[in-house]
């Protein structure tokens, strides 16, 4: 019955997904484009320059690091471009270009390549780069300009988050907040563009909704408690700072977020909790980057804590407890 | 504890890279991270620790047959503490600026793992001259590692090189070398500014990790077996490990040779 030619024996896997790293990264880049356009409109063409420098440095560093370490070339997977764009999105528009380059270099070489390249890094490269730059160049990293002021003379101004921390109502209206008409890092202000990118990633199934939803949800709930039910306060908190950028694009990074849904839920809630704690009680106005970094470090433990039970195996703990009780 | 024949040259050079106390044995990490923010501080710390290390190695080696092995650790500590007190008084008297800069880390040399570690692993088992040479080698290795770290951290983090050199040069009189007090590489108000993070703790860890990787690379390229693969063979303490000398291995449940 069985024809020798039709019997085909091979090792698994027998079905291969068409999803490649390159396709995922391309999707993320596409999802970041609306925010990039928004930043260019809001803060002027200089943002494109900052992004270009950041991306170029990221690619060059990745190329040089792989060459020097004699590893196979991974530029083709486009992940360096994503990292470069995210680093740029975390900088204010006025940043000196060399600082953007330092940030990208640090993200790619120290955080990513020293630990083995894509998939091996323990923390999100862009997040660490942002924190390193913030600790190193505090003045340059918090030099915010008012939107549209690039057309005449750049005017520096406070971010809504700083105003919230000082107990004031931000000078921008909620609609302005949603459209990004307020001071901040170049990629984080326009909530509409970020949500558009997030929706695209969800539709393409590049990211799962668990982390962004639990992250943003936790912040919303905690801020609702803090504001004694003041919905306007909650909306301002959600739309200001790097929350949306962090929740949609940085906390969902594949190599630094958990794999299973339960761990992802804890991861998101943890990020939200830490972000709120830092925003409300720390000396800094923003805590998103630190929150994500801390949760990045906890990912291995979350994974171990929530490891699923193999199908058909007995429940270990209860049995042990019973035996202990009997003895 | 039979005394092995040792070559003095080897005892000295092993401390530089192959068994560098900071970068290969990972001892004395606390002063390393705390003090290596400027080269001058690092040099002062390194030399102070080296003096204590050499003296305590010599004395412990002299007394090694008298010290009962059950109370050897307290005895070592007393010996080390005496020398630290002497060094601290000397530093206070002759280089007061250094004493102010090093602060609590100078008296803390007492509990520096390198010194106790060498007493336990080497001086307690070897003859006086070998122990002294071991102290010199380890001391130079410690100072070198500190200075390498400090050079990277100071240049990147503060934009200076050898800043405050007069603090140390005061030993040789006032205004030696024309009052040389270090170079300022990044001037204030220029387009570049130093990366402050390298002066802070995270930058210390970055630099530490980097130098450790370099030291491992150099040590391995000289035919040392890979650290992760060969168990006891690869352990930098293997030469002086007491568990190994008794024919055992330290891998079952225990950490590497205690320090």
């Amino acid at each position: 019955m069985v024809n020798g030619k039709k019997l085909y024996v091979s090792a698994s896997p027998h079905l291969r997904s068409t999803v490649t790293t390159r396709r995922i990264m391309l999707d993320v880049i596409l999802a970041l484009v609306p925010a990039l356009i928004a930043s260019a409109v809001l803060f002027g063409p200089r943002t494109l320059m900052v992004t270009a420098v950041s991306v170029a440095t990221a690619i060059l560093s990745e190329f040089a690091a792989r060459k020097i370490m004699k590893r196979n070339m991974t530029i083709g997977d486009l992940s360096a471009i994503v990292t470069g764009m995210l680093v740029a999105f975390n900088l204010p528009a006025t940043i000196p270009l060399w600082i953007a380059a330092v940030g990208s270099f640090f993200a790619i070489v120290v955080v990513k390549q020293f630990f083995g390249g894509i998939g091996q890094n323990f923390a999100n490269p862009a997040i660490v780069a942002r924190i390193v730059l913030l600790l190193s160049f505090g003045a340059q990293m918090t030099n915010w300009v008012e939107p549209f002021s690039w057309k005449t003379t750049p005017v520096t101004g406070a971010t809504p988050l700083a105003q919230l921390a000082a107990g004031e109502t931000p000078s921008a209206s909620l609609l302005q907040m949603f459209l990004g008409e307020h001071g901040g890092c170049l990629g984080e202000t326009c909530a509409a563009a970020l949500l558009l990118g997030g929706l695209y990633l969800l539709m393409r199934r590049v990211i799962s909704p668990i982390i962004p939803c639990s992250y943003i949800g936790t912040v919303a709930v905690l801020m609702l408690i803090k504001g004694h039910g003041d919905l306007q306060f909650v909306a301002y908190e959600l739309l200001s700072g790097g929350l949306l950028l962090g929740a949609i694009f940085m906390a969902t990074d594949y190599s630094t977020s958990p794999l299973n849904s339960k761990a992802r839920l804890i991861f998101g809630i943890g990020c939200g909790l830490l972000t709120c704690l830092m925003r409300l009680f720390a000396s800094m106005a923003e805590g998103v980057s630190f929150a994500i970094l801390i949760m990045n470090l906890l990912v291995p433990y979350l994974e171990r804590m929530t490891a699923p039970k193999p199908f058909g195996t007995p429940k270990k703990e209860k049995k042990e407890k019973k035996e202990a009780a009997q003895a | 504890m039979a005394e092995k024949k040792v070559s003095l040259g080897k005892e000295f050079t092993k401390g530089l890279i192959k068994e560098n106390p900071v970068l290969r044995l990972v001892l004395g990490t606390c002063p390393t991270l705390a003090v290596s923010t400027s080269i001058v501080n690092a040099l002062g710390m390194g030399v102070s620790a080296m003096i204590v290390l050499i003296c305590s190695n010599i004395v412990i080696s002299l007394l090694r047959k008298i010290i009962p092995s059950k109370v050897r650790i307290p005895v070592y500590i007393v010996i080390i503490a005496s020398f630290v007190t002497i060094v601290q008084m000397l530093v206070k008297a002759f280089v007061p600026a250094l004493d102010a800069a090093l602060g609590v880390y100078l008296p803390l040399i007492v509990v520096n793992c390198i010194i106790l570690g060498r007493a336990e692993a080497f001086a307690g088992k070897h003859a006086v001259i070998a122990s002294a040479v071991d102290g010199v080698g380890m001391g130079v290795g410690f100072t070198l590692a500190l200075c390498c770290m400090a050079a990277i951290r100071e240049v990147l983090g503060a934009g200076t090189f050898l800043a405050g050199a007069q603090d140390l040069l005061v030993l040789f009189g006032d205004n030696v070398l024309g009052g040389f007090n270090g170079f300022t590489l990044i001037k204030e108000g220029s387009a570049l500014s130093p990366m402050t993070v390298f002066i802070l703790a995270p930058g210390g860890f970055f630099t530490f990790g980097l130098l450790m990787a370099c030291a491992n690379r150099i040590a391995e390229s000289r035919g040392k077996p890979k650290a992760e693969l060969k168990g006891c063979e690869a352990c930098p303490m293997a030469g002086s490990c007491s568990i190994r000398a008794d024919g055992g291995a330290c891998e079952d449940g225990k950490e590497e040779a205690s320090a």
Side-chain angles (χ1 to χ4, degrees):
Chain A
M1 222 173 95
V2 177
N3 188 328
K5 277 180 189 169
K6 281 183 183 170
L7 189 66
Y8 182 71
V9 182
S10 77
S12 64
H14 304 291
L15 289 173
R16 281 174 195 280
S17 162
T18 53
V19 178
T20 58
T21 312
R22 192 195 177 104
R23 205 217 80 188
I24 292 171
M25 291 300 161
L26 196 63
D27 274 342
V28 178
I29 293 171
L30 282 178
L32 285 169
V33 166
L36 182 64
I37 296 170
S39 77
V41 173
L42 291 165
F43 299 111
R46 191 185 149 79
T47 58
L48 298 178
M49 191 67 194
V50 173
T51 315
V53 167
S54 183
V55 170
T57 318
I59 297 174
L60 278 177
S61 321
E62 174 129 335
F63 178 78
R66 300 302 289 195
K67 268 270 179 267
I68 292 168
M69 296 185 196
K70 298 196 182 94
R71 291 181 180 150
N72 58 332
M73 201 40 74
T74 50
I75 292 211
D77 65 22
L78 306 180
S79 61
I81 299 180
V82 172
T83 304
M85 282 178 93
L86 284 174
V87 170
F89 277 21
N90 277 295
L91 305 171
T94 53
I95 197 86
L97 294 176
W98 68 270
I99 293 187
V102 168
S104 269
F105 173 83
F106 204 88
I108 293 291
V109 174
V110 177
V111 188
K112 193 171 157 200
Q113 295 302 341
F114 278 4
F115 290 87
I118 184 168
Q120 309 284 325
N121 45 312
F122 69 99
N124 187 314
I127 290 274
V128 180
R130 181 199 149 82
I131 291 174
V132 164
L133 293 182
L134 192 66
L135 292 177
S136 293
F137 311 107
Q140 292 97 323
M141 283 294 286
T142 48
N143 186 14
W144 319 110
V145 285
E146 292 287 330
F148 301 121
S149 68
W150 55 274
K151 286 175 184 160
T152 51
T153 30
V155 184
T156 53
T159 60
L161 211 51
Q163 289 170 323
L164 280 171
E168 304 159 15
T169 311
S171 41
S173 73
L174 271 179
L175 181 69
Q176 284 178 319
M177 294 288 296
F178 187 68
L179 295 175
E181 269 185 67
H182 59 90
C185 292
L186 59 85
E188 71 183 15
T189 58
C190 185
L194 290 171
L195 287 175
L196 195 69
L199 275 181
Y200 173 76
L201 289 183
L202 280 179
M203 268 164 44
R204 297 279 289 176
R205 301 208 170 180
V206 171
I207 60 173
S208 93
I210 301 177
I211 292 176
C213 290
S214 59
Y215 189 171
I216 297 170
T218 310
V219 174
V221 170
L222 288 174
M223 287 304 175
L224 196 67
I225 299 170
K226 155 77 183 163
H228 302 292
D230 182 358
L231 284 175
Q232 201 193 353
F233 174 73
V234 176
Y236 271 121
E237 282 287 357
L238 292 186
L239 293 175
S240 56
L243 179 61
L244 288 176
L245 180 66
I248 296 171
F249 292 101
M250 316 247 247
T252 51
D253 176 21
Y254 279 21
S255 38
T256 58
S257 66
L259 289 172
N260 70 56
S261 324
K262 215 195 282 174
R264 280 182 177 165
L265 190 69
I266 303 174
F267 180 86
I269 293 174
C271 283
L273 185 69
L274 288 169
T275 303
C276 288
L277 286 177
M278 281 183 234
R279 278 190 181 181
L280 296 176
F281 301 109
S283 57
M284 258 176 283
E286 180 58 303
V288 169
S289 46
F290 291 96
I292 296 178
L293 177 63
I294 292 172
M295 291 312 288
N296 277 169
L297 302 182
L298 290 179
V299 164
Y301 303 98
L302 292 180
E303 296 273 25
R304 202 186 301 166
M305 234 169 68
T306 57
K309 184 178 75 75
F311 180 72
T313 54
K315 285 178 186 170
K316 227 180 182 178
E317 282 172 35
K318 279 188 181 172
K319 211 179 172 188
E320 276 171 5
K321 267 182 199 167
K322 262 186 197 170
E323 278 169 6
Q326 279 169 359
Chain B
M1 291 190 204
E3 265 163 44
K4 292 172 226 157
K5 289 217 166 171
V6 283
S7 109
L8 294 183
K10 240 184 183 172
E11 292 308 331
F12 175 73
T13 51
K14 75 175 183 215
L16 301 184
I17 293 278
K18 209 178 88 185
E19 288 185 31
N20 185 301
V22 178
L23 302 176
R24 292 280 289 167
L25 307 184
V26 203
L27 299 174
T29 318
C30 173
T32 305
L33 289 168
V35 166
S36 63
T37 49
S38 82
I39 302 173
V40 169
N41 285 356
L43 201 62
M45 180 71 191
V47 172
S48 313
M50 178 156 72
I51 295 170
V52 175
L53 182 57
I54 298 168
C55 297
S56 70
N57 261 13
I58 292 174
V59 171
I60 288 167
S61 171
L62 279 172
L63 298 175
R64 71 184 184 281
K65 298 205 170 126
I66 306 169
I67 300 171
S69 77
K70 277 189 182 160
V71 291
R72 64 185 192 284
I73 302 285
V75 174
Y76 294 166
I77 293 282
V78 170
I79 295 169
I80 294 166
S82 320
F83 284 114
V84 170
T85 315
I86 296 170
V87 166
Q88 197 193 350
M89 284 171 170
L90 289 173
V91 169
K92 267 205 169 91
F94 294 104
V95 258
L98 184 70
D99 179 65
L102 293 181
V104 74
Y105 291 100
L106 199 53
L108 276 182
I109 295 177
V110 175
V111 287
N112 190 320
C113 288
I114 300 170
I115 297 170
L116 190 59
R118 289 331 286 173
E120 171 77 6
F122 198 90
K125 299 172 194 164
H126 290 85
V128 180
I129 294 174
S131 301
V133 172
D134 175 75
V136 177
M138 287 289 159
V140 171
F142 180 58
T143 315
L144 266 182
L146 271 181
C147 287
C148 284
M149 263 185 84
I152 296 173
R153 290 181 71 183
E154 188 181 340
V155 168
L156 289 178
T160 57
F161 188 72
L162 287 170
Q166 279 300 321
D167 289 359
L168 281 185
L169 290 174
V170 80
L171 264 178
F172 308 106
D174 285 336
N175 275 338
V176 210
L177 300 177
F180 171 75
N181 209 8
F183 306 100
T184 308
L185 302 177
I186 301 176
K187 302 242 170 8
E188 224 168 283
S190 68
L192 294 173
S193 54
M195 280 183 86
T196 328
V197 76
F198 275 96
I199 288 290
L200 307 173
F205 280 102
F206 283 139
T207 323
F208 193 29
L210 252 176
L211 285 181
M212 261 166 127
C214 294
N216 281 347
R217 182 71 190 248
I218 296 170
E220 274 160 22
S221 71
R222 292 203 183 150
K224 255 318 240 189
K226 280 214 164 194
E228 308 93 272
L229 299 178
K230 296 267 173 88
C232 274
E233 295 298 320
C235 174
M237 300 289 282
S240 51
C241 178
S242 54
I243 304 169
R244 232 172 94 79
D246 298 339
C250 56
E251 300 221 312
D252 14 282
K254 279 192 201 163
E255 290 295 319
E256 289 185 351
S258 66

